[in-house]
Amino acid sequence: MSDPVIMIVGAGQMGNGIAQVAAAAGFQVLLHDVSPELIEQGVNAISSRLSRSVEKSKLAAQEKTETISRIHAVSSLEHAAGADVVIEAITENMEVKASLLRKLDVICPAHVIFASNTSALPITELAAATGRPSKVIGMHFMNPVPVMPLVEIIRGLETSQQVYDTAEELTRKMGKTPVEVNDFPGFVSNRILMPMINEAVYAVYEGVASVESVDRVMKLGMHHPMGPLELADFIGLDTCLSIMEILYEGFKDPKYRPCPLLRKYVKAGRLGKKSGRGFHHYAIGVK
């Protein structure tokens, strides 16, 4: 596939990270969100990361300029008509994602591929919201996107081999490593990671140990770079809860039941780093 135009829908942490690695790989990128302010925030986040890389001599100033020049802020979803691949990175909600795909299905020519960055939702169900299920695939990037090398590639029931091959090629061109997994709730990464985080929350909830002790045990004893509760804060407790609910609903297995403490924190607005408080405290605005 030669130089496809890639549109990213969703300029948040995941979306702007995908936009950055795509633009750095030489692709023309259209970046869209529901408001100009959110798009601007996404572009500014990309610029700030690239500037830090320049300051640390990990990136030439010219490379930063060229990368930014390939990212085009677009305020209308209609611009998707000019893309070859659309990657959605919006909120982790089936109906919201399906609604977006239905709109894109009307806007985009028949050749356009739809990729979802969902971290847990079934690709087959998302694909069924469109009239082109053979052209829908999962491309689950890891957070933070510019740093983490993995992309889970998930076929839906109808995904064509050509579309899979294209997604794998794009992933490699972005400097990432594609790993094919099957279409089950949570795929591999979150089916393993989220129950571990949920169990860490249960350890606090049941009084087994403090937040700090749980994180310290996993860092010092298991050599994890970050404790599970600190990681949950970084991911967002609302996102963790959403994924656990998807797992619980998808498998009907009580081992995936979200911890009541996790649910309580989300209802209280303690969402982790982005809100300033989760299991730990953070200064809002500090990257």
Side-chain angles (χ1 to χ4, degrees):
M1 189 175 188
S2 58
D3 299 326
V5 175
I6 300 174
M7 182 165 179
I8 312 296
V9 181
Q13 188 171 31
M14 294 302 296
N16 69 55
I18 298 168
Q20 178 180 328
V21 299
F27 297 110
Q28 294 297 319
V29 177
L30 309 177
L31 183 60
H32 171 76
D33 212 312
V34 293
S35 73
E37 292 75 20
L38 290 174
I39 301 171
E40 183 180 5
Q41 288 173 20
V43 173
N44 288 342
I46 294 169
S47 182
S48 295
R49 286 193 297 266
L50 293 173
S51 292
R52 288 196 294 272
S53 293
V54 171
E55 290 167 6
K56 295 176 182 178
S57 300
K58 294 180 178 179
L59 185 74
Q62 182 63 26
E63 289 180 278
K64 174 195 170 182
T65 301
E66 290 173 355
T67 297
I68 292 293
S69 73
R70 297 188 195 103
I71 300 172
H72 312 281
V74 295
S75 58
S76 171
L77 193 62
E78 300 291 329
H79 283 85
D84 299 296
V85 177
V86 179
I87 302 175
E88 72 80 12
I90 63 172
T91 186
E92 192 71 356
N93 177 282
M94 174 59 76
E95 186 45 47
V96 175
K97 287 184 185 291
S99 176
L100 171 64
L101 291 178
R102 282 191 287 267
K103 292 175 185 175
L104 289 170
D105 203 29
V106 174
I107 294 168
C108 296
H111 75 278
V112 179
I113 294 170
F114 298 160
S116 175
N117 183 57
T118 178
S119 56
L121 294 169
I123 300 303
T124 298
E125 188 173 345
L126 288 170
T130 77
R132 63 184 84 194
S134 67
K135 295 188 180 297
V136 180
I137 195 164
M139 293 179 70
H140 178 210
F141 291 78
M142 301 295 120
N143 189 21
V145 179
V147 176
M148 302 298 282
L150 173 67
V151 178
E152 287 182 306
I153 308 289
I154 309 101
R155 302 176 196 252
L157 184 63
E158 306 291 343
T159 305
S160 72
Q161 185 61 44
Q162 181 182 7
V163 167
Y164 177 84
D165 292 342
T166 298
E168 191 172 76
E169 181 183 354
L170 287 177
T171 300
R172 294 189 191 281
K173 284 185 176 178
M174 291 183 203
K176 303 301 181 185
T177 301
V179 176
E180 182 178 3
V181 302
N182 289 323
D183 191 17
F184 284 85
F187 316 130
V188 171
S189 57
N190 281 320
R191 184 171 177 174
I192 295 171
L193 174 63
M194 287 301 160
M196 182 193 74
I197 287 174
N198 195 51
E199 198 61 30
V201 180
Y202 266 114
V204 174
Y205 178 63
E206 294 171 355
V208 177
S210 67
V211 168
E212 292 74 16
S213 293
V214 169
D215 277 351
R216 193 174 297 124
V217 164
M218 296 306 290
K219 285 193 287 187
L220 299 181
M222 311 306 165
H223 206 56
H224 289 193
M226 183 181 293
L229 300 171
E230 183 185 2
L231 178 57
D233 281 350
F234 183 79
I235 294 168
L237 301 191
D238 51 341
T239 300
C240 294
L241 176 59
S242 174
I243 294 171
M244 286 307 302
E245 288 175 333
I246 290 167
L247 290 170
Y248 188 48
E249 177 64 26
F251 291 110
K252 304 294 186 185
D253 189 324
K255 73 180 180 182
Y256 297 115
R257 183 173 70 93
C259 179
L261 183 60
L262 177 60
R263 197 179 298 279
K264 179 183 285 188
Y265 273 33
V266 172
K267 286 182 177 179
R270 296 188 185 183
L271 306 182
K273 188 173 181 181
K274 61 187 173 185
S275 70
R277 187 174 184 186
F279 289 102
H280 299 273
H281 290 262
Y282 305 89
I284 295 178
V286 176
K287 301 292 184 184

